[in-house]
Amino acid sequence: MSNDTDNKPSRTELVDFWKRKITYLRVSLTNRCNFRCKYCYGNPDLKIPKDDRLPNEYLIRLIEITAFLGINKIRFTGGEPLLRRDIIDLIANVSSIEGIKSIGITTNGYYLAKYLPDLATAGLSNVNISLDTLNKDTFKAITGVDGFEKVYLAIELAEQSGYFPLVKVNTVVMRSINDMEMPRFTEWALKRKIDLRFIEFMPTADSGWGKNLFVGEDEMREKIRLNLEADPESGDNIGPARRYRYKDYPGRISFISAVSHNFCDSCNRLRLTANGDLIGCLFGRGKLSLGNMMKKGLNNIDIMERIFEAVGDPEFKGIRGGFFAREHKPLMRSVGG
Ligand code: SAM
């Protein structure tokens, strides 16, 4: 480990107050995005906070520290992670960190085709691409960008490249905007090596969220009208998604239902915001300013101890039930969805 001290502690595990083992870190690389998705930028006039992103050197050091504490899975998100040209170098470095078994990105796909071979060579293990519609005009209405073809081609390229067993596609379902596309979308995914993840619209900050737009998982299933079977090969690599198969089709259909079936009990993740704050719960207030600690010159052992303490604090890594009882709403584009 870089910047290590002589009295290095033995490798240990991060277990929170509720006995959940923490093995997954989601890292937002920037709060900038080239899209203006309505559920992320509900108010187009709102000023975007300054992008005080951490340099690769800091990110690599922080990931080394967390890997030492048992983190084995990393996901780069944002904002749009592919707006950072140094992401390939970052992935190459992170893939050589002892203990890191999987590196993913969540991207809007706009720049993916250009970087895909280099990302895969650098060590990218999986990719999630956001696509809320198969209709070009609806795509523009949701994202503010005339980019459907580019994103669609990137998905095809990723699927056919052979780099990943399945390409995950994230679709936020919204009533009267894209819910009517669900049967066609499902058929499209099932025929390809795609895991289509229907996501319940969450009431995040500046999301333009309204109960009228929300479609819960039970209703989504009714709309699909297929007898889906639980996928026996789900394993532990799909996080909060519940994954299903249909007959012998190669594709999979998943549901991420944070609102109607919260999955706090099995939460194994931490998040690092683009400016270096560690967050225990997307809907919690607690944060630990790791970026500032690095700027102030704290050594790895001190930073490790602070992470350890934070994760053990039930306020930081909470387990609150009742989605709407939560007082804090995250700004997804800054925390990283
Ligand atoms: N720019 C990248 C992208 O588009 O995938 C990464 C960032 S984006 C915030 C990550 C994911 O969060 C996307 O799949 C997006 O659909 C999801 N997301 C954003 N706001 C959401 C909300 N209010 N409810 C549910 N999902 C949301």
Side-chain angles (χ1 to χ4, degrees):
M1 221 197 289
S2 50
N3 191 35
D4 226 341
T5 61
D6 287 343
N7 53 343
K8 193 165 153 181
S10 53
R11 260 176 196 277
T12 184
E13 283 185 340
L14 279 176
V15 179
D16 73 6
F17 179 84
W18 314 96
K19 307 269 178 279
R20 295 172 298 187
K21 193 169 154 190
I22 311 302
T23 54
Y24 179 21
L25 178 67
R26 296 176 67 96
V27 180
S28 171
L29 292 182
T30 171
N31 54 32
R32 301 270 151 190
C33 191
N34 51 325
F35 281 17
R36 288 292 174 271
C37 300
K38 291 255 190 299
Y39 47 75
C40 233
Y41 290 83
N43 174 2
D45 300 327
L46 203 79
K47 258 192 115 205
I48 302 169
K50 196 171 159 265
D51 201 20
D52 195 13
R53 48 174 90 160
L54 295 185
N56 275 1
E57 182 199 342
Y58 280 17
L59 290 169
I60 294 162
R61 197 177 138 207
L62 282 177
I63 293 172
E64 279 179 330
I65 292 172
T66 58
F68 200 79
L69 294 173
I71 295 289
N72 56 37
K73 180 175 164 186
I74 301 289
R75 173 161 299 276
F76 294 115
T77 175
E80 174 47 42
L82 294 182
L83 289 183
R84 267 183 80 148
R85 301 290 141 94
D86 52 3
I87 189 172
I88 291 162
D89 191 43
L90 178 63
I91 290 177
N93 276 285
V94 170
S95 66
S96 66
I97 295 176
E98 196 184 333
I100 298 298
K101 294 184 192 150
S102 146
I103 306 172
I105 55 166
T106 299
T107 170
N108 62 32
Y110 194 80
Y111 295 115
L112 183 64
K114 190 168 155 196
Y115 294 120
L116 189 65
D118 289 342
L119 288 165
T121 308
L124 187 72
S125 347
N126 55 74
V127 62
N128 291 15
I129 306 165
S130 299
L131 179 72
D132 301 311
T133 174
L134 289 173
N135 179 295
K136 190 177 178 321
D137 296 331
T138 312
F139 183 96
K140 188 166 180 206
I142 295 175
T143 64
V145 173
D146 191 6
F148 174 76
E149 274 92 0
K150 230 173 157 171
V151 174
Y152 190 86
L153 275 174
I155 293 174
E156 280 193 327
L157 190 73
E159 189 229 343
Q160 287 159 20
S161 66
Y163 292 134
F164 319 104
L166 278 172
V167 170
K168 293 182 187 170
V169 170
N170 287 354
T171 303
V172 179
V173 179
M174 292 164 283
R175 188 177 306 283
S176 307
I177 295 181
N178 61 354
D179 62 335
M180 63 296 253
E181 289 187 53
M182 288 187 75
R184 181 173 158 231
F185 224 144
T186 300
E187 193 186 323
W188 169 81
L190 285 172
K191 289 181 179 159
R192 296 165 169 79
K193 282 182 278 169
I194 284 179
D195 178 4
L196 177 62
R197 296 138 52 93
F198 288 123
I199 302 177
E200 285 183 352
F201 189 8
M202 293 189 292
T204 54
D206 195 29
S207 66
W209 195 93
K211 275 202 168 123
N212 54 327
L213 289 174
F214 177 76
V215 183
E217 178 182 330
D218 294 348
E219 192 184 339
M220 290 186 201
R221 286 166 173 280
E222 280 168 24
K223 285 181 190 292
I224 291 174
R225 270 184 272 116
L226 285 183
N227 217 351
L228 299 171
E229 304 157 43
D231 180 6
E233 287 167 33
S234 291
D236 63 353
N237 199 27
I238 60 167
R242 271 167 301 140
R243 187 191 276 175
Y244 296 85
R245 51 184 288 163
Y246 183 66
K247 296 186 175 164
D248 291 333
Y249 285 84
R252 295 290 180 266
I253 302 298
S254 298
F255 299 92
I256 302 185
S257 312
V259 180
S260 69
H261 300 70
N262 90 61
F263 31 77
C264 302
D265 283 356
S266 58
C267 180
N268 63 347
R269 60 186 61 188
L270 293 171
R271 296 167 191 268
L272 188 70
T273 66
N275 61 359
D277 291 338
L278 191 73
I279 306 240
C281 169
L282 191 54
F283 284 79
R285 277 188 199 284
K287 60 180 181 187
L288 187 67
S289 297
L290 297 182
N292 286 340
M293 289 180 202
M294 300 199 98
K295 284 175 200 158
K296 284 185 191 153
L298 260 74
N299 68 34
N300 288 1
I301 305 283
D302 289 340
I303 294 176
M304 239 180 247
E305 274 169 11
R306 302 292 292 275
I307 297 175
F308 217 78
E309 263 169 44
V311 168
D313 175 353
E315 279 303 307
F316 179 84
K317 187 91 194 89
I319 192 159
R320 301 181 180 91
F323 214 86
F324 297 101
R326 298 176 190 194
E327 72 293 353
H328 174 71
K329 288 187 174 145
L331 194 59
M332 285 295 253
R333 57 180 183 260
S334 167
V335 180

